[in-house]
Amino acid sequence: MKFFTSLAAATLLASVRAAPTSGVTDVDILQYALTLEHLENVFYKQAIAKFPLSEFEKAGYPLKIYDNLKYIVHDEEEHVKLLTTALAAAGAKPVAACEYSFGLTDVKSFLTLSSVLEGVGTAAYTGGAGYITSPDYLGVAASILVTEALHTSIQRVAVDRIGAANPYGTSLGLNAVFTLAAAFIKSCPATNAALPVKAFPSLGVAQGQPAAPSIDITFSVPGAVPKDAKYLTFVNGLETIYSPIKEAAGLLVTAKIPATVSGQTYVFLTKEQKSGPVTDENVLNGPAIIEVTPNSPTFDLSLL
């Protein structure tokens, strides 16, 4: 979705201090997680302050949607409190909330953005878990991950999308998540600790959503398509699929959506086709986020 890809990375990250990803510690990951939880906490509180129940009713949403939202607001606040306490107990100064711009205009667009943000949060905890060495911290992260995944499904259903569009969760690296989150950050306190992350140049979706498997899709880049760009790489569930670029002209690049991706999918412009997850060194731009309508599910009733 273009929410994440419309501004140049240099502008977005002017006030967000970042450090290289080498030598990442447990405290670094807690600060990273708290940065994301601050964003979600402020996002939901701004929304619930701007859109009372009457606005949801006028937009045609049932009471259950609003009731679920109140629980999500509560959850995100609790996540901020827990991570803040954990960092203080570890002797670190917890990062404070930044100033954000979410562009909230109506209930429908808020709910759509909420479903996307929750998907990113879930992917962030999945990807960040591998950096954690403390079993206690890992247990806390796993507990938050479960709740974020529940939020994702709840908010996807609220916007008429399949709640569980993939049998597996998607994992994103620290830099990919930071690139997406930074699109909403206007400024951060100068006293905040540097995060162990860097941002990639943006990748924008140049056509409407949702998309479908096996169709061509076009993305835009700032400046011009890099000469060494060879693939649009789709990350979805446990799959990383390299789709050869079919056309690149000026700011636009086109490739085919793989037949097996479904639901919220992350797309990178990459240089090479490699086995395993996308590495930071292979990324030229992205990720962009697309929603791919899943094919009808299949199953074997004889497999018991």
Side-chain angles (χ1 to χ4, degrees):
M1 300 188 71
K2 68 179 180 180
F3 300 113
F4 296 98
T5 55
S6 59
L7 298 177
T11 301
L12 296 172
L13 306 175
S15 63
V16 184
R17 299 177 62 217
T21 55
S22 59
V24 177
T25 67
D26 284 355
V27 167
D28 290 331
I29 295 300
L30 292 183
Q31 296 281 33
Y32 162 82
L34 181 55
T35 299
L36 302 178
E37 294 294 349
H38 275 312
L39 186 151
E40 288 187 303
N41 182 47
V42 174
F43 170 69
Y44 282 112
K45 287 180 176 174
Q46 285 186 5
I48 208 165
K50 185 179 181 69
F51 305 122
L53 174 58
S54 59
E55 290 295 316
F56 282 77
E57 292 173 334
K58 283 195 296 184
Y61 291 98
L63 176 62
K64 192 65 176 177
I65 300 295
Y66 188 78
D67 283 343
N68 283 337
L69 175 61
K70 291 189 292 184
Y71 282 99
I72 293 174
V73 175
H74 168 267
D75 293 348
E76 301 300 355
E77 181 178 287
E78 290 299 311
H79 295 169
V80 168
K81 290 179 181 178
L82 179 63
L83 291 168
T84 299
T85 300
L87 281 160
K93 181 181 178 181
V95 293
C98 300
E99 183 180 354
Y100 311 97
S101 178
F102 299 109
L104 300 177
T105 57
D106 58 78
V107 170
K108 182 178 180 180
S109 62
F110 154 66
L111 289 173
T112 301
L113 179 54
S114 168
S115 72
V116 174
L117 280 178
E118 291 293 352
V120 172
T122 303
Y125 276 98
T126 305
Y131 291 92
I132 299 174
T133 60
S134 163
D136 291 336
Y137 289 162
L138 185 59
V140 170
S143 180
I144 295 176
L145 168 60
V146 171
T147 303
E148 296 291 348
L150 291 170
H151 293 172
T152 301
S153 290
I154 289 170
Q155 297 304 84
R156 285 180 61 82
V157 171
V159 294
D160 294 324
R161 290 176 177 167
I162 303 299
N166 193 300
Y168 305 104
T170 302
S171 174
L172 284 179
L174 305 184
N175 293 334
V177 173
F178 182 65
T179 303
L180 297 172
F184 302 103
I185 298 174
K186 293 176 63 178
S187 63
C188 290
T191 54
N192 275 4
L195 298 175
V197 290
K198 62 181 180 180
F200 300 121
S202 64
L203 183 67
V205 186
Q207 62 193 67
Q209 301 291 307
S214 302
I215 68 168
D216 288 350
I217 187 166
T218 300
F219 297 85
S220 62
V221 299
V225 176
K227 292 182 179 179
D228 51 350
K230 297 292 188 294
Y231 298 91
L232 281 167
T233 303
F234 295 75
V235 178
N236 177 251
L238 297 178
E239 292 189 298
T240 299
I241 304 175
Y242 291 81
S243 184
I245 292 173
K246 299 178 69 174
E247 182 178 357
L251 308 179
L252 302 178
V253 58
T254 301
K256 178 180 286 189
I257 299 175
T260 56
V261 302
S262 59
Q264 187 158 309
T265 302
Y266 304 90
V267 186
F268 299 83
L269 186 63
T270 57
K271 295 180 278 189
E272 300 177 276
Q273 180 173 357
K274 296 184 175 182
S275 60
V278 176
T279 62
D280 291 346
E281 295 75 19
N282 197 19
V283 173
L284 294 168
N285 296 77
I289 297 179
I290 62 172
E291 177 66 24
V292 181
T293 302
N295 294 316
S296 297
T298 60
F299 43 85
D300 184 354
L301 291 177
S302 69
L303 186 61
L304 302 175

